[in-house]
Amino acid sequence: MSPDPHPDPIPGFRALADPTRRAILHLLTSESLTIAEVSRNFDMTRPAVKKHLAILADADLITVEPRGRERLNTLNLNGFQQVTDWLSYFDQFWDARLSDLKASLEKGSNP
Amino acid sequence: MSPDPHPDPIPGFRALADPTRRAILHLLTSESLTIAEVSRNFDMTRPAVKKHLAILADADLITVEPRGRERLNTLNLNGFQQVTDWLSYFDQFWDARLSDLKASLEKGSNP
DNA sequence: TTGACGTGATACCTTTTGGTATCATATCAA
DNA sequence: TTGATATGATACCAAAAGGTATCACGTCAA
């Protein structure tokens, strides 16, 4: 019984792949919102929004805190760390590219 | 005939959502590779890898340059820009969180 | 206690995604 | 020229993703 032999080690990327979920994260920067409140901002049903929130929570991009009969969804920056860490590996190649550009300019050739 | 009324303005996120594609990008940091060469690094068929490369190219994460009968795939940092730009918006909230933590520590409460 | 409301949880549907198999085409080398 | 090789292009398939409809449950307020 092993239905998921190779889960993505960085679930944040899949969570960020959907424009709706990115919009939700933007929404939650100004304030924490309940599921119903988030839903009012989008042209889709509440269950659909709840699914998006579940994926964001799984990726540690938000936290969900029970609040009476409501559930308050709050931006969680922890999930961003893995994503930015993976991306930061490529920073060195940016530097390399700038060096190449600089060398090209000095050499007089057209980059 | 408008089959795609709302394309994702940041295709890079969807491209990065797949672990195989992220691995391909890592591969291409050391050197440019042909489709066949990239394929040898993964346990899947060449057409499958080619699809991944097409998605990466659409997202401007790689460039493809014909080279005789081969096609040389090269890392393209331009596609990373949109992604990191979107993510950078959240930097300010990271700072805010650090401020909150600092305030909590000074106040003596447990964060 | 009784409703109304916010949410949890299914079941179901359609489209997209990730993958294979297969064949056609172009190019390089002997 | 001939054959091997690198790729293009399709057709096809199973699973996942994104969405809806629906109903049950817990909680708040009158």
Side-chain angles (χ1 to χ4, degrees), chain A residues 10-13 15-16 21-22 24-26 28-29 56 59-63 74-88, chain B residues 13 83-84 86-91 93-94 97:
Chain A
I10 315 182
F13 276 113
L16 292 171
R21 287 195 286 269
R22 296 202 299 274
I24 290 175
L25 291 175
H26 249 132
L28 295 180
T29 56
L56 290 171
D60 250 6
L61 291 167
I62 65 171
T63 56
T74 304
L75 186 68
N76 179 14
L77 293 167
N78 291 334
F80 287 83
Q81 196 63 55
Q82 297 176 318
V83 171
T84 53
D85 281 354
W86 188 90
L87 287 169
S88 69
Chain B
F13 277 114
V83 171
T84 54
W86 188 90
L87 286 169
S88 69
Y89 174 74
F90 293 86
D91 289 348
F93 305 105
W94 190 264
R97 209 180 79 148

Side-chain angles (χ1 to χ4, degrees), chain A residues 14 18 21 43-45 47-48 51-52 55 68-69:
Chain A
R14 190 182 78 90
D18 188 281
R21 287 195 286 269
D43 190 22
M44 65 182 70
T45 61
K51 280 191 183 181
H52 285 305
I55 292 173
R69 69 179 156 182

Side-chain angles (χ1 to χ4, degrees), chain B residues 48-65:
Chain B
V49 170
K50 199 194 65 168
K51 280 192 183 180
H52 284 306
L53 290 170
I55 292 173
L56 290 171
D58 283 344
D60 250 8
L61 291 166
I62 65 171
T63 57
V64 186
E65 178 193 1

Side-chain angles (χ1 to χ4, degrees), chain A:
Chain A
M1 197 199 283
S2 56
D4 202 350
H6 290 304
D8 192 333
I10 315 182
F13 276 113
R14 190 182 78 90
L16 292 171
D18 188 281
T20 298
R21 287 195 286 269
R22 296 202 299 274
I24 290 175
L25 291 175
H26 249 132
L27 252 187
L28 295 180
T29 56
S30 42
E31 56 178 339
S32 298
L33 297 174
T34 66
I35 298 177
E37 285 169 340
V38 173
S39 298
R40 287 186 203 109
N41 288 274
F42 297 94
D43 190 22
M44 65 182 70
T45 61
R46 178 185 57 79
V49 170
K50 199 194 65 167
K51 280 191 183 181
H52 285 305
L53 290 170
I55 292 173
L56 290 171
D58 284 343
D60 250 6
L61 291 167
I62 65 171
T63 56
V64 186
E65 178 193 1
R67 199 98 168 173
R69 69 179 156 182
E70 302 178 338
R71 302 197 119 211
L72 207 55
N73 299 273
T74 304
L75 186 68
N76 179 14
L77 293 167
N78 291 334
F80 287 83
Q81 196 63 55
Q82 297 176 318
V83 171
T84 53
D85 281 354
W86 188 90
L87 287 169
S88 69
Y89 175 73
F90 293 86
D91 289 347
Q92 56 185 307
F93 304 106
W94 260 115
D95 298 342
R97 207 179 83 148
L98 288 179
S99 301
D100 291 350
L101 177 61
K102 182 161 170 279
S104 298
L105 289 175
E106 285 170 351
K107 199 176 160 196
S109 61
N110 205 339

Side-chain angles (χ1 to χ4, degrees), chain B residues 9 17 28 55 57 67 73-74 79 91 98:
Chain B
L28 296 180
I55 292 173
R67 200 98 165 173
N73 299 273
T74 305
D91 289 348
L98 287 180

